[in-house]
Amino acid sequence: MVKVRRLSRLGLLALGLSVGAAVASSAGMALADSSTDWLAAVDSLLGGLALPAAGSGANVAVSFDGYSLLQEGTATAHTATGEYGLAIAEGSGAYAYAGGGIGDLAEAEGTNALAIAGGNPGDTGGDYDTAIDIGNNDRPSTGAADGAYAGNGDLGGGSGTGAHDTAIDIGNNTNDADVGGGNDGAFAGAGGLGGVPGDGNNDTAIDIGNNSGLDDGANALGGSSNFASQFGTMTGYDEGAFAGFGGDNNIAVADASYTREFAGVYAEVGNGNYASLVGPENSFAVAFEGNSNVATIFDPFGSAPSYADSGYGFSNDVTAVLFAEGTTAAVTGNNVYDILTALGHVAGTL
């Protein structure tokens, strides 16, 4: 099953999180690689795909409403008749599937790229889902294949329906020798995509960067109108941005790279939670188990990770770490601010 979450461990991890020195950021996305040129890929989708001549050696496939419009090489595209889905795959081993609902869209661009939108064949409820994977993926993976998943939970072996969901994964996903590989990318929709219950509608997950590990990426699952985005390189286990998992209207935005397990930005379970950070590698922000919680980090100069924690059953909490130049933490409570600057450490004030 895709991405079995460990919510019960999150609280223990957050309370005991070490904020030691971070490892330098690993190499970023190879933007010069045409397989990760997402602007060109989007342009090809919107402006019309140039069809290669038969026998050209290209790897490209296009399917619409159950009909194969093009099949060359090892790329594969599948749709179901009567559902008006569109699937486009380009690259060696690329796979795109749009089905299990009305009007789904899947685009896979790159070697072993994978985009799956809607639900399994014969499903209903996975309507107007969009999955886009642009980049190269390693196969086989020890977990589910890397890529973009949007829609019903059975796409990941779970349950629940997902409609109007969007998952976009831009970057390369590779296996890590220590933790294996798989389940990396963008996941939006029903909780079953991540091993948790609940339907997921109008969810959006965006992962931009290279992942090397297991369970890394952006996850907006198990609730409605959740948003998760991850910008950065991740190596390790269960890292990235996580929104929803039993709540609605949650937002998790991570603009950092990660090299340690269970690190990232979490906005989960309650309604209206928000967690956002711009900070050093392995910085951690949590808005969890409560309503109207806010946790934010802005640490543009620091070299060691910062930590913000808001929630765990409290209401109307505000937690912030601002302008830090070293390791600091603002921990659970109402209106907690923790500021560390060259002028000294000031806690409990804005």
Side-chain angles (χ1 to χ4, degrees), residues 123-303:
D123 274 4
T124 59
D127 300 331
Y128 303 106
D129 294 315
T130 299
I132 299 174
D133 182 27
I134 301 175
N136 300 325
N137 300 326
D138 274 0
R139 290 182 184 170
S141 299
T142 58
D146 302 326
Y149 295 74
N152 292 349
D154 59 7
L155 294 176
S159 61
T161 59
H164 298 273
D165 301 308
T166 300
I168 301 174
D169 178 33
I170 300 175
N172 300 325
N173 299 310
T174 58
N175 296 334
D176 184 276
D178 294 328
V179 298
N183 302 354
D184 292 340
F187 301 78
L193 289 173
V196 296
D199 297 334
N201 302 311
N202 302 300
D203 295 325
T204 301
I206 301 172
D207 175 34
I208 299 179
N210 296 328
N211 304 321
S212 177
L214 181 67
D215 294 343
D216 297 335
N219 301 261
L221 301 171
S224 296
S225 301
N226 296 305
F227 178 84
S229 68
Q230 163 66 36
F231 297 85
T233 298
M234 290 178 286
T235 60
Y237 180 71
D238 212 346
E239 302 159 336
F242 305 87
F245 294 88
D248 302 326
N249 305 307
N250 294 317
I251 299 174
V253 178
D255 187 359
S257 295
Y258 293 98
T259 61
R260 61 194 308 169
E261 67 177 24
F262 297 104
V265 176
Y266 297 79
E268 299 183 353
V269 179
N271 295 325
N273 296 320
Y274 171 84
S276 176
L277 72 82
V278 174
E281 187 175 80
N282 293 326
S283 292
F284 197 104
V286 179
F288 187 70
E289 289 280 6
N291 296 320
S292 303
N293 300 307
V294 176
T296 183
I297 293 176
F298 178 65
D299 184 0
F301 311 113
S303 59

Side-chain angles (χ1 to χ4, degrees), residues 36-98:
T36 58
D37 185 356
W38 66 277
L39 289 176
V42 172
D43 180 66
S44 74
L45 175 63
L46 297 180
L49 187 66
L51 304 184
S56 65
N59 296 296
V60 60
V62 180
S63 177
F64 174 72
D65 197 33
Y67 296 94
S68 177
L69 304 181
L70 177 65
Q71 175 64 63
E72 286 288 326
T74 60
T76 304
H78 285 308
T79 58
T81 303
E83 294 180 343
Y84 306 103
L86 174 64
I88 301 171
E90 184 176 6
S92 177
Y95 180 82
Y97 166 79

